[in-house]
Amino acid sequence: MYRTKPFVIFIIGVSGVGKSTIGNLLSKKYSITYFDGDDFHSKENVNKMSKGQSLNDEDRYEWLLTLNQLAKEQIKIQNCVIACSALKEKYRDLLSKDIEINVKWVFLEGSFDQILNHLNCREDHYMPVSLLKSQFKILENPVNALKIDIGFTPEEIVETIKKEIFDKSEFGLIGLGVMGKGLSRNIASKVIALSVYNRHVEGLEEDVAVNFKNEFSELSNILPFDKIKAFVISLQTPRKIMLMVNAGKTVDAVIDNLIPHLSKNDTIIDGGNSHYKDTRRRIDYLKNKNINFIGAGISGGEAGALKGPSIMPSGNKGAYKLVKPFLESIAAKDKNNLPCCTYIGKEGSGHFIKMIHNGIEYVEMQLLAEVYFIFKTIGKNPDEIANILDGWKTKTNSYLLEITVDILRKKDKRGWILELILDKAGNKGTGNWATVATAELGVPSTMIASALFARYLSSFKEERIQLNEKFASFKTISKINVDNMIKVYQLARLVNHHQGFKILFEASRSYGWELNLSEIARIWTNGCIIRSSLMEELVNIFKLTDNMMLNKNIIDEIKELKPSINEMVSQCVIEEIPIPCLSEAVNFLNAYTKADSSANIIQAQRDYFGAHTYQQNNDPSGKYYHTNWKKITHD
Amino acid sequence: MYRTKPFVIFIIGVSGVGKSTIGNLLSKKYSITYFDGDDFHSKENVNKMSKGQSLNDEDRYEWLLTLNQLAKEQIKIQNCVIACSALKEKYRDLLSKDIEINVKWVFLEGSFDQILNHLNCREDHYMPVSLLKSQFKILENPVNALKIDIGFTPEEIVETIKKEIFDKSEFGLIGLGVMGKGLSRNIASKVIALSVYNRHVEGLEEDVAVNFKNEFSELSNILPFDKIKAFVISLQTPRKIMLMVNAGKTVDAVIDNLIPHLSKNDTIIDGGNSHYKDTRRRIDYLKNKNINFIGAGISGGEAGALKGPSIMPSGNKGAYKLVKPFLESIAAKDKNNLPCCTYIGKEGSGHFIKMIHNGIEYVEMQLLAEVYFIFKTIGKNPDEIANILDGWKTKTNSYLLEITVDILRKKDKRGWILELILDKAGNKGTGNWATVATAELGVPSTMIASALFARYLSSFKEERIQLNEKFASFKTISKINVDNMIKVYQLARLVNHHQGFKILFEASRSYGWELNLSEIARIWTNGCIIRSSLMEELVNIFKLTDNMMLNKNIIDEIKELKPSINEMVSQCVIEEIPIPCLSEAVNFLNAYTKADSSANIIQAQRDYFGAHTYQQNNDPSGKYYHTNWKKITHD
C-alpha cells in the first residue's frame, strides 16, 4: 500500500486536543490499528492517577518504554497509530528509541483558548484550567512533526495526514551523478520513500530522474522530478534534502533555487566534497532563513554509495537529529554493526575530516605506488608484485591494498592494463585543500603534501621525458633488499595515520570542534576508501590517547619496523629511485623523535636580518632576546 | 634653500598659454635661472620654421635632447626653469631622461577659447586659430604635473608653484616600524623631500614621527605628522605615498583613512608583505576611485631598508611610471649599477614574487640549518663549522651564508650564543602563503613546503622531548663523510632555485603576468635576503631559458654534484639525522629526471574506486578509458 517500511504514527499534543478522535478516525478510514497510550499505564501509575496525583518523569519512563515496545512489535507486522501527549522532547526520544526511522509525529496544535473551548464542548470530558495551563507550560514544541491546527474538522485533519505522510516522500535527493545514483539506490533499498531530482539541461540532461527510475526495478516506488518546486512539494515536512552536486558554485546555486520553496526547519544535507569553509558559510547563511544545513563528508566511491558509505555529518546538533535515522540507515556498518556515521561537530567539521580522510587516502595510494615502483625497478612484473601484496593482507589489510592487488592482476590481450596507463595523476582538489589547511593550521603534514606534489610532478610528463634524455639514469645492479618491504610499508602507514589524526586534533583545538578521534577512526573502519585493519586498531588507541605516537604498542611497532625503512630509503636514494613519501615518513620520525632540532639557527638568522628576536633554552619565562650579530667578539 | 636636490621646473602647455611670462616671473621672484626652450633649436629647425614649415617628431628629437642636456648641466649647479610646450608624453620622456627625479612639471591649462582670448590680448604675438587647434589635437594631458588654470594672474600662478612645489614634500611614508624607519632614512639620504606619518595611539604610539625626526640629524628636513590630513596636504600632487604598515586589515584601514583626502592620480604604494590576492583586490577597489595602487614587495630586512632593498612593484604600468624614479632611487644597485627594482607585472604579481622570494629564503635557511646539524652531529663545534662555511664563500657565496658564518662565531661569556637559542622556529606567514599558492597552482614546490613544515615541527618542542625519551636514539660511530658537504649544499640550492622560479613561470602562465625571470633574478642579486653568486648566474641563464634545469651548465653541474648528495642523504637516513629539505632535493630530482613515474597506479586506483577514468600511453588522442577492474581475467 505505501512506499515505506511499516511505520507508527504518534498523534501528540496537550490533553483535550483531540488525539483519540483523530487516531480512531485515521484507524477506521485507512485500516490502521489504533492504540490509546493511556491504556498502557502500569497499575502503579493508574493508582497514582486515580488518587489525583500527577505522574512525574520517573513514573512515565517505564510507560513510555512500554509504548516504544508496542510500536516495535507492531511495525514488525503492520502500521499503527498511537495517541500519546508526548509533550517533552525526551518523552518522544523514548517513544521512538531505535525505531526513529519508522516513526511519524503528528502534532495537533491550538491556542490555549482554542483548546479550552474545544474541551468545554465535549460532554464526556472534564479538565480543570490549571491542568491545561501546566500542560502548556511543559510543552516542548516538536520540530520533527507534521503540525496540524485543530481548527480543521477531524475529517480534514485525517485527510491532511494521508496527503502529507502516506503520499509524500520521507527523503529527497538532488543530483543524479555517479554518487547520487548510488546513494539513491542505497536509500531505496532501505525502503525509505524517496524523491529524486535532477536538473533539466536541454540536449544534455533530459529526463534524468525518470530514466534513472526506469533503469532499476528496485526504484519503482521513487518519485522522479526535473522541476524543483514539485520535487520539494513531494516531501514530508520538515523536509530532508540531500545534495549530491558538484562542490563549489553549483551548491550555492542549488541552495538558492531551493530556498523559495522551503519552510522553517527543513534540512539540507550537502553530501558533496565541499570545502569546510564554504560549509560554515552556508550554515550561517541558511540559519538566517530558519533552514538547517548539514555538511556531510561521504566516502566510499561508487561502490560505497551503493552499498553503504562512511558518512561524516556536521553542523547544528539539533538539525542533525532530524536526519540522523536516514544517514545511519544508509551508512556502512562497522564490525559491531554500528553505523559508520556519527555526528562530527559544529560548523564544517564534517567536510574538514572528509578532506583529511582524502589526504590520508592520497598518501596511502602514493605509498602503494612507491612500493610498486621499487618492485618494478628491481624487475618484478605486476603478477609477481600482486602475489607479494596479496600475502600482506593477513598482516596489514586495507581496501586500497585489495584493489591494488586486483589492479596489478588485471590483463587484456595486450597484457597488463596497468602498463598501458599514462602516468599523469589527476586530482579533484581535496588533497590540495588538505595541504593548504595543514599549512594554515601550522601542522607539519609532510606526507600529504608529498603525495600531492608527487601527483603534480607526474603531470609534468613532457618535461620529465625531456630531462630523462639529458640526465643519464643510474645503472648498476640493484642492491635493494625487498624482503622487508612490508615493514617499510607498515611504518610509513603509521606515520601517515599519525599525521592525519594530528591535523584533526590540532584543528579541533584551534576551532573548538571537540572532535572524538576514536569515533572518527570507527566510522572509517568500513564504507570508506581508507578502511583497514590498522584503522580498526586505532579505534581503541584513540580511546586512550590523542597522540597515537605516545601509545606503547605503536612505539614498539615503530622501533621494530624503523631499521627496515631506513635501509630501504637509503638504498633507493643511492639508486635514484624516487620515493618522496617514504622519505618523508623517515625524516618526519627522525625529527619528531628528537628533542633537539636545527631551528636554533633559523631563529638566529631571522634575528640577524629581521630583528625578529628569539627565546633561550635556559629561560623558561619565554622572554625574547635580540643580538647584534655583526660584531664578532671572542672573549 | 629647498629640501630637495637641485631640480628643473618645466613650464609646459600649448602655445600662447603664457609659459615665458610665468618662467620669467618665477625666475625673477625666486632667483632661478630661466631658459626659453625655443632658444635652443638647431639651425635646421630654425630654417624650417622660418619657411613656415612645422616641425615633425624627428626634428624635435635632437632639440628635446638638447634641453634634456641643458637641464642635466644646470642641476649639477643650481635649480632652473625651462619653458617648453612638451605636449606629448614622449617629448616629456625625452626632456626628463635620466633625471626624472629632478624634474617638476608645471602644466598651464586653459580652454581653447580662454587661450585664444589670452592671445588676442597680446600685441606682440600672432597665432592663427588653426595652429592652436592643432596644438590641442596633439596635446596629451600630463598626469605627473602640477596643473594651474591660466585664469589666475601670473603672480598668483607663481605663488601656487612656490607653495605646491617648493614648500611641499615629494614623497610620503606611512608607518614608522623597523622597515618604515629604515626606508625613511634611506629616502632622506637621497635628498628627496619627505613627509612621514605614524598614527597616534594614546600611551602607546605618541609623537612617533616627531621623535623619529629628532633622533637622526640627517632627517632635519623631513616633515613629521601624526594627523593624516595634514600629512596628505603636505605632499606635492599627484601624491606618492608609501605604506609600511602591518599586512592585512591594517592596510585596508589606512587606505580608507587616506581616501577622503586624496585626489585623482595620487598613488599609494604598499611596501608591506601583503598577500597578492589582497593587492589585486585593492588595485580594483582604488581604481574605482581614480587612485593608483602599486603593490611593492620589498626585501632586505632592516639593513636593506636603510641601505637599499630589492623592490618588486606591480600594478598598473602607467601608475608605476609616477613612482619609478623614487623607488629606483632608494633601491639597491646591481653589479652594473642598475637599480634592484623593476616593474614586475600587473595585479599583485609584485607581492606574489616577494612571497616566492621568501619561500626560496625559507629553503636556503633550512639547508644551512641541516648542514649545520650534520656537522654538529658528527661533533664539530660552531667555530669549526664557521671556518668550513667561510671557506665556501669563494665557490658559492650568499648573504645567508655570510650571516650564518657570523652567527656561528658569535659568543659571549657563556659561550656560543647559537647554543643558547631555543630551537622553535617562528614564521610570519609568507612561507605558508607560498606553500598554499604552489598547492593551488599545481606546482610541486616540495622544498618550500618541506622547509615550512620543518619550522612547524620544530615548534612542537614539548612533544619532541616526550618522544625523545620513548625512542632510543641511534648510537654508533658516524660514517658520514663531510668532505663533499659543499657539493651537497650546492646541489640542493640548485633544486631550490629551480623550484622557486618554476612557480613564477607557472603563475605567470596561469595569470597572464608575462613575468621576466631574468629581470627578477637581476633585482634579487642585491639588497634582498636571497642575493647570492648563484642568483647572478641565473640572470644570464634565464635570458636563454624559462627552465634552468634545461641549461647545459646547470645539467653538467648537477651531474657532478649528484653523487655527493645521494651519499649524504642516504647515510643521514641510516643514522637517523633529520634532513627533510636535502631529501626533498634528491627525491625531486630523481622523479623529475625520469620519464616514467608510478602515477599509473594512482590513476588505476582512482578509476577503480571512483570511476575517474585514465588516459593511455599509446593513445595520443588523450581519450579517457574506464576499466571494470574487479573481474580478473587471464588470457
Side-chain angles (χ1 to χ4, degrees):
Chain A
M1 177 182 175
Y2 310 116
R3 302 181 299 122
T4 64
K5 54 188 135 343
F7 55 74
V8 49
I9 296 179
F10 282 104
I11 312 277
I12 65 174
V14 297
S15 291
V17 84
K19 299 187 287 289
S20 337
T21 312
I22 301 303
N24 273 310
L25 189 59
L26 194 64
S27 169
K28 211 164 91 188
K29 193 141 185 200
Y30 294 104
S31 312
I32 310 175
T33 317
Y34 168 70
F35 302 94
D36 190 320
D38 285 342
D39 299 341
F40 292 80
H41 274 294
S42 65
K43 277 183 194 159
E44 292 77 12
N45 280 2
V46 171
N47 278 338
K48 204 167 176 182
M49 286 188 290
S50 66
K51 286 178 194 157
Q53 296 171 353
S54 60
L55 302 179
N56 59 28
D57 280 359
E58 213 171 309
D59 301 326
R60 284 192 185 95
Y61 183 78
E62 286 301 329
W63 170 59
L64 292 166
L65 282 187
T66 306
L67 294 180
N68 173 252
Q69 197 54 42
L70 169 70
K72 281 180 180 164
E73 295 301 329
Q74 284 295 312
I75 57 169
K76 283 182 191 159
I77 44 172
Q78 59 179 6
N79 298 332
C80 73
V81 184
I82 302 177
C84 170
S85 55
L87 300 182
K88 290 189 184 174
E89 182 77 4
K90 64 178 177 186
Y91 302 162
R92 296 188 289 266
D93 289 348
L94 284 169
L95 288 170
S96 61
K97 195 166 173 289
D98 303 329
I99 50 168
E100 290 86 353
I101 201 159
N102 305 82
V103 167
K104 306 292 166 192
W105 303 98
V106 174
F107 177 55
L108 300 179
E109 64 178 350
S111 68
F112 185 83
D113 290 342
Q114 208 179 3
I115 294 167
L116 201 65
N117 188 37
H118 209 252
L119 284 170
N120 292 344
C121 296
R122 282 160 60 176
E123 292 169 4
D124 62 333
H125 210 289
Y126 170 75
M127 189 182 218
V129 171
S130 65
L131 181 56
L132 187 59
K133 270 192 180 160
S134 81
Q135 292 242 316
F136 264 91
K137 201 171 164 192
I138 66 164
L139 172 65
E140 292 165 8
N141 261 308
V143 171
N144 194 19
L146 172 64
K147 295 175 187 177
I148 308 180
D149 191 296
I150 56 164
F152 291 102
T153 68
E155 287 73 21
E156 284 168 338
I157 291 175
V158 165
E159 273 321 286
T160 301
I161 294 172
K162 195 266 178 191
K163 203 178 93 210
E164 294 295 323
I165 294 184
F166 298 179
D167 297 349
K168 292 195 171 176
S169 296
E170 301 171 278
F171 200 85
L173 187 142
I174 291 180
L176 294 171
V178 171
M179 291 294 284
K181 283 183 171 171
L183 277 176
S184 295
R185 292 173 62 195
N186 177 349
I187 295 166
S189 76
K190 300 296 184 298
V191 203
I192 293 167
L194 177 69
S195 290
V196 296
Y197 164 87
N198 196 88
R199 64 178 178 178
H200 174 93
V201 183
E202 198 78 24
L204 285 170
E205 295 177 48
E206 293 185 357
D207 302 323
V208 176
V210 169
N211 293 340
F212 172 55
K213 172 183 169 144
N214 294 335
E215 197 180 342
F216 299 98
S217 59
E218 75 259 33
L219 300 181
S220 59
N221 280 324
I222 72 167
L223 303 180
F225 296 91
D226 63 0
K227 300 230 170 7
I228 196 88
K229 188 178 172 184
F231 164 77
V232 174
I233 290 175
S234 79
L235 299 171
Q236 295 171 10
T237 54
R239 300 180 184 91
K240 291 95 183 168
I241 300 172
M242 178 173 259
L243 311 187
M244 294 304 299
V245 301
N246 285 336
K249 285 176 186 164
T250 311
V251 175
D252 291 313
V254 172
I255 289 173
D256 283 333
N257 286 339
L258 276 171
I259 287 172
H261 310 295
L262 298 183
S263 328
K264 191 177 168 183
N265 292 325
D266 286 354
T267 302
I268 298 173
I269 307 155
D270 176 12
N273 263 333
S274 291
H275 194 278
Y276 69 102
K277 289 180 182 173
D278 285 335
T279 300
R280 186 175 56 194
R281 172 177 59 76
R282 287 169 188 144
I283 288 172
D284 293 342
Y285 173 68
L286 286 165
K287 197 178 175 185
N288 285 331
K289 303 179 188 303
N290 289 309
I291 309 292
N292 300 309
F293 190 78
I294 296 289
I298 298 186
S299 172
E302 198 175 359
L306 186 60
K307 293 178 192 166
S310 173
I311 306 181
M312 305 152 230
S314 68
N316 178 280
K317 202 164 182 175
Y320 175 63
K321 198 174 168 184
L322 300 175
V323 299
K324 180 177 181 246
F326 298 96
L327 298 186
E328 288 191 345
S329 168
I330 60 175
K333 302 294 174 282
D334 71 11
K335 63 181 178 181
N336 298 315
N337 207 33
L338 294 172
C340 289
C341 172
T342 195
Y343 174 70
I344 302 301
K346 60 183 182 176
E347 302 174 348
S349 55
H351 278 130
F352 185 92
I353 77 156
K354 172 57 170 35
M355 174 183 79
I356 300 304
H357 166 287
N358 285 26
I360 296 171
E361 174 187 312
Y362 267 56
V363 177
E364 294 284 292
M365 291 165 74
Q366 177 66 21
L367 290 175
L368 285 162
E370 292 180 15
V371 162
Y372 152 77
F373 203 69
I374 297 170
F375 279 128
K376 184 185 160 193
T377 304
I378 64 161
K380 298 216 181 289
N381 73 35
D383 271 337
E384 290 167 337
I385 303 171
N387 291 339
I388 295 169
L389 299 195
D390 209 13
W392 293 3
K393 289 180 184 172
T394 51
K395 275 198 173 173
T396 179
N397 202 13
S398 71
Y399 170 72
L400 285 167
L401 180 68
E402 286 174 3
I403 73 168
T404 304
V405 172
D406 288 351
I407 287 166
L408 287 161
R409 288 186 172 146
K410 189 79 178 177
K411 278 177 159 176
D412 70 6
K413 58 181 181 291
R414 294 167 298 176
W416 287 287
I417 307 273
L418 181 62
E419 300 194 334
L420 303 172
I421 296 181
L422 183 65
D423 59 330
K424 287 165 78 165
N427 77 88
K428 304 272 274 185
T430 45
N432 164 5
W433 290 348
T435 301
V436 169
T438 195
E440 287 178 350
L441 275 164
V443 185
S445 297
T446 55
M447 292 181 79
I448 293 176
S450 179
L452 176 73
F453 291 144
R455 289 198 189 185
Y456 285 172
L457 189 48
S458 77
S459 74
F460 290 88
K461 175 83 175 173
E462 292 69 23
E463 286 178 32
R464 288 193 284 113
I465 292 172
Q466 241 182 318
L467 286 160
N468 190 60
E469 285 163 11
K470 297 191 185 285
F471 287 87
S473 325
F474 186 89
K475 276 184 209 88
T476 53
I477 291 158
S478 178
K479 288 181 188 157
I480 290 175
N481 168 15
V482 292
D483 293 350
N484 289 327
M485 188 69 100
I486 185 172
K487 292 186 176 180
V488 174
Y489 173 65
Q490 283 178 299
L491 189 285
R493 290 190 64 218
L494 287 174
V495 179
N496 178 30
H497 284 74
H498 163 72
Q499 289 193 346
F501 280 91
K502 179 75 175 168
I503 311 176
L504 298 187
F505 176 78
E506 295 293 338
S508 180
R509 194 154 68 169
S510 290
Y511 302 135
W513 283 341
E514 298 176 357
L515 298 182
N516 181 331
L517 300 187
S518 172
E519 262 294 277
I520 291 169
R522 186 188 67 71
I523 65 168
W524 286 349
T525 59
N526 202 6
C528 72
I529 303 292
I530 60 171
R531 60 187 186 263
S532 69
S533 51
L534 171 60
M535 194 64 81
E536 286 179 4
E537 289 170 40
L538 293 180
V539 177
N540 290 321
I541 289 173
F542 282 120
K543 282 179 183 157
L544 307 170
T545 177
D546 282 327
N547 185 344
M548 60 180 263
M549 292 286 286
L550 294 171
N551 177 272
K552 196 187 168 304
N553 293 345
I554 300 281
I555 292 170
D556 291 344
E557 208 177 337
I558 290 176
K559 282 181 179 167
E560 192 223 321
L561 303 171
K562 186 75 198 312
S564 300
I565 196 169
N566 289 354
E567 194 193 314
M568 179 66 69
V569 167
S570 173
Q571 194 56 33
C572 284
V573 166
I574 291 290
E575 298 186 21
E576 305 197 325
I577 301 168
I579 37 141
C581 243
L582 292 173
S583 284
E584 281 300 342
V586 170
N587 272 296
F588 178 82
L589 269 185
N590 289 348
Y592 193 40
T593 59
K594 275 205 177 48
D596 293 330
S597 76
S598 58
N600 54 341
I601 209 152
I602 306 274
Q603 287 301 78
Q605 290 165 331
R606 296 177 72 238
D607 188 52
Y608 192 118
F609 64 70
H612 290 298
T613 72
Y614 59 86
Q615 293 168 296
Q616 292 192 355
N617 283 319
N618 52 1
D619 184 350
S621 78
K623 187 186 150 188
Y624 286 87
Y625 295 83
H626 173 61
T627 294
N628 182 4
W629 294 94
K630 272 203 168 169
K631 280 186 208 144
I632 298 161
T633 52
H634 286 100
D635 302 73
Chain B
M1 177 182 174
Y2 310 115
R3 302 183 299 121
T4 63
K5 56 186 133 340
F7 55 76
V8 49
I9 296 178
F10 281 104
I11 311 278
I12 64 174
V14 296
S15 290
V17 82
K19 298 185 291 289
S20 337
T21 311
I22 302 302
N24 273 311
L25 190 58
L26 194 64
S27 168
K28 212 163 91 188
K29 192 142 186 200
Y30 295 103
S31 312
I32 310 174
T33 317
Y34 168 71
F35 302 94
D36 190 319
D38 285 340
D39 298 342
F40 292 79
H41 274 293
S42 64
K43 276 184 196 160
E44 291 78 11
N45 281 0
V46 172
N47 277 339
K48 204 167 174 182
M49 288 189 287
S50 67
K51 286 178 196 158
Q53 294 170 357
S54 60
L55 301 179
N56 59 30
D57 279 358
E58 211 171 313
D59 300 327
R60 283 192 185 95
Y61 183 79
E62 287 301 328
W63 171 59
L64 292 165
L65 282 187
T66 306
L67 293 181
N68 173 253
Q69 197 53 44
L70 170 69
K72 281 179 181 164
E73 295 300 328
Q74 284 296 311
I75 58 171
K76 282 183 193 160
I77 44 171
Q78 61 180 6
N79 299 332
C80 73
V81 184
I82 303 178
C84 170
S85 55
L87 300 183
K88 290 188 186 176
E89 182 76 3
K90 64 179 177 184
Y91 302 163
R92 297 189 288 265
D93 289 347
L94 283 170
L95 288 171
S96 60
K97 194 165 172 291
D98 304 331
I99 50 168
E100 289 87 354
I101 202 159
N102 304 81
V103 167
K104 307 291 167 193
W105 302 100
V106 174
F107 176 56
L108 299 178
E109 64 180 350
S111 67
F112 185 85
D113 290 342
Q114 207 179 3
I115 294 168
L116 201 64
N117 189 36
H118 209 253
L119 282 171
N120 292 342
C121 297
R122 285 161 57 178
E123 291 171 2
D124 61 332
H125 211 291
Y126 170 73
M127 187 181 219
V129 171
S130 64
L131 181 56
L132 187 59
K133 271 192 178 159
S134 80
Q135 292 240 319
F136 264 91
K137 200 171 165 193
I138 64 164
L139 173 65
E140 291 164 10
N141 260 309
V143 171
N144 195 19
L146 171 64
K147 293 175 187 178
I148 308 180
D149 192 294
I150 56 165
F152 291 101
T153 66
E155 286 70 22
E156 285 168 338
I157 290 175
V158 165
E159 271 323 284
T160 302
I161 293 172
K162 194 264 179 194
K163 200 177 92 211
E164 294 295 323
I165 295 184
F166 298 180
D167 297 348
K168 291 195 172 178
S169 296
E170 300 172 280
F171 201 82
L173 186 142
I174 292 180
L176 294 170
V178 171
M179 290 295 283
K181 282 183 173 173
L183 278 177
S184 295
R185 292 174 62 196
N186 179 348
I187 295 166
S189 77
K190 299 295 183 299
V191 204
I192 293 167
L194 176 69
S195 291
V196 298
Y197 164 88
N198 195 88
R199 64 178 179 179
H200 174 93
V201 183
E202 199 78 25
L204 286 170
E205 295 177 48
E206 294 185 357
D207 301 324
V208 175
V210 169
N211 292 340
F212 172 56
K213 173 182 168 142
N214 294 334
E215 197 180 341
F216 299 96
S217 59
E218 76 259 34
L219 300 181
S220 59
N221 281 324
I222 71 167
L223 304 179
F225 295 91
D226 63 0
K227 300 230 171 6
I228 196 87
K229 187 176 171 183
F231 165 77
V232 174
I233 289 175
S234 80
L235 299 171
Q236 294 170 11
T237 54
R239 301 179 184 91
K240 291 97 184 168
I241 300 172
M242 177 173 261
L243 311 187
M244 293 306 298
V245 301
N246 285 336
K249 285 176 184 166
T250 311
V251 175
D252 292 313
V254 172
I255 288 172
D256 283 332
N257 285 341
L258 275 172
I259 287 173
H261 310 295
L262 298 183
S263 328
K264 190 177 167 184
N265 292 326
D266 285 354
T267 302
I268 298 173
I269 306 156
D270 177 12
N273 262 333
S274 292
H275 194 279
Y276 70 102
K277 289 180 183 173
D278 285 336
T279 300
R280 186 176 54 195
R281 172 176 60 74
R282 288 169 187 144
I283 289 172
D284 292 343
Y285 172 67
L286 286 167
K287 197 179 174 184
N288 285 329
K289 302 179 189 302
N290 290 311
I291 310 292
N292 300 311
F293 191 78
I294 296 291
I298 297 186
S299 173
E302 197 175 357
L306 186 60
K307 293 178 192 165
S310 173
I311 306 180
M312 307 152 228
S314 67
N316 177 281
K317 202 164 181 176
Y320 175 64
K321 196 173 170 187
L322 300 175
V323 299
K324 181 176 181 244
F326 299 95
L327 299 185
E328 288 191 346
S329 168
I330 61 175
K333 302 294 174 283
D334 71 11
K335 63 180 179 183
N336 298 316
N337 206 34
L338 293 173
C340 290
C341 172
T342 194
Y343 174 71
I344 303 300
K346 59 183 181 175
E347 302 174 349
S349 54
H351 278 130
F352 184 93
I353 78 156
K354 172 56 169 40
M355 174 183 80
I356 299 305
H357 166 286
N358 285 25
I360 296 171
E361 174 187 313
Y362 268 55
V363 177
E364 294 284 292
M365 290 165 74
Q366 178 64 22
L367 290 174
L368 285 162
E370 292 179 16
V371 162
Y372 153 77
F373 203 70
I374 297 170
F375 278 128
K376 182 184 161 194
T377 305
I378 65 162
K380 297 215 179 291
N381 74 34
D383 272 337
E384 290 168 338
I385 303 172
N387 291 339
I388 295 169
L389 299 195
D390 208 14
W392 293 2
K393 289 181 184 172
T394 49
K395 273 198 175 174
T396 178
N397 202 14
S398 70
Y399 170 72
L400 285 167
L401 180 68
E402 285 174 4
I403 72 168
T404 303
V405 172
D406 287 351
I407 287 166
L408 287 161
R409 287 186 173 146
K410 188 82 178 178
K411 277 175 158 177
D412 69 8
K413 57 181 180 293
R414 295 167 297 177
W416 288 285
I417 307 275
L418 181 62
E419 300 194 336
L420 302 172
I421 297 182
L422 182 65
D423 58 332
K424 288 167 78 166
N427 76 88
K428 304 272 273 186
T430 45
N432 165 5
W433 289 349
T435 301
V436 169
T438 195
E440 287 178 351
L441 276 165
V443 186
S445 297
T446 57
M447 293 181 78
I448 292 176
S450 179
L452 176 73
F453 291 144
R455 289 198 188 185
Y456 286 170
L457 190 48
S458 77
S459 74
F460 290 88
K461 174 83 174 174
E462 293 69 25
E463 286 178 34
R464 288 192 284 113
I465 292 172
Q466 244 182 316
L467 286 161
N468 191 60
E469 287 163 9
K470 298 191 185 287
F471 288 86
S473 327
F474 185 89
K475 276 183 206 87
T476 54
I477 292 158
S478 177
K479 289 181 188 158
I480 290 175
N481 169 14
V482 292
D483 294 349
N484 289 326
M485 189 69 100
I486 186 172
K487 292 186 177 179
V488 173
Y489 173 67
Q490 284 178 298
L491 189 284
R493 292 189 66 218
L494 287 175
V495 178
N496 177 32
H497 284 73
H498 163 73
Q499 289 192 347
F501 279 90
K502 178 75 175 167
I503 311 177
L504 299 187
F505 175 77
E506 295 294 336
S508 180
R509 193 153 68 169
S510 290
Y511 302 136
W513 284 341
E514 299 177 355
L515 298 182
N516 182 331
L517 300 186
S518 171
E519 262 295 277
I520 291 170
R522 186 187 67 72
I523 66 168
W524 287 349
T525 58
N526 201 6
C528 72
I529 305 291
I530 59 172
R531 62 189 186 262
S532 69
S533 53
L534 171 59
M535 195 65 81
E536 286 178 6
E537 288 170 39
L538 293 180
V539 177
N540 289 322
I541 287 173
F542 282 120
K543 282 180 183 158
L544 306 170
T545 176
D546 283 325
N547 185 344
M548 60 180 264
M549 292 283 285
L550 294 171
N551 177 272
K552 197 184 168 305
N553 293 345
I554 299 282
I555 292 170
D556 291 344
E557 207 175 338
I558 290 176
K559 283 181 180 168
E560 191 221 320
L561 304 171
K562 187 75 195 317
S564 300
I565 197 168
N566 289 353
E567 193 193 316
M568 178 65 70
V569 168
S570 173
Q571 194 56 32
C572 285
V573 165
I574 290 291
E575 299 185 22
E576 304 196 327
I577 302 167
I579 36 140
C581 244
L582 292 173
S583 283
E584 282 300 344
V586 170
N587 272 296
F588 177 82
L589 268 186
N590 289 348
Y592 193 39
T593 58
K594 274 206 179 47
D596 293 330
S597 77
S598 58
N600 55 339
I601 209 151
I602 307 274
Q603 287 300 80
Q605 290 165 331
R606 296 176 72 238
D607 188 51
Y608 191 119
F609 65 69
H612 289 299
T613 72
Y614 59 84
Q615 294 170 294
Q616 293 193 352
N617 283 319
N618 53 2
D619 184 351
S621 78
K623 187 184 150 189
Y624 285 89
Y625 295 84
H626 172 60
T627 294
N628 183 3
W629 294 93
K630 272 202 168 168
K631 280 188 209 140
I632 297 161
T633 53
H634 288 100
D635 304 71

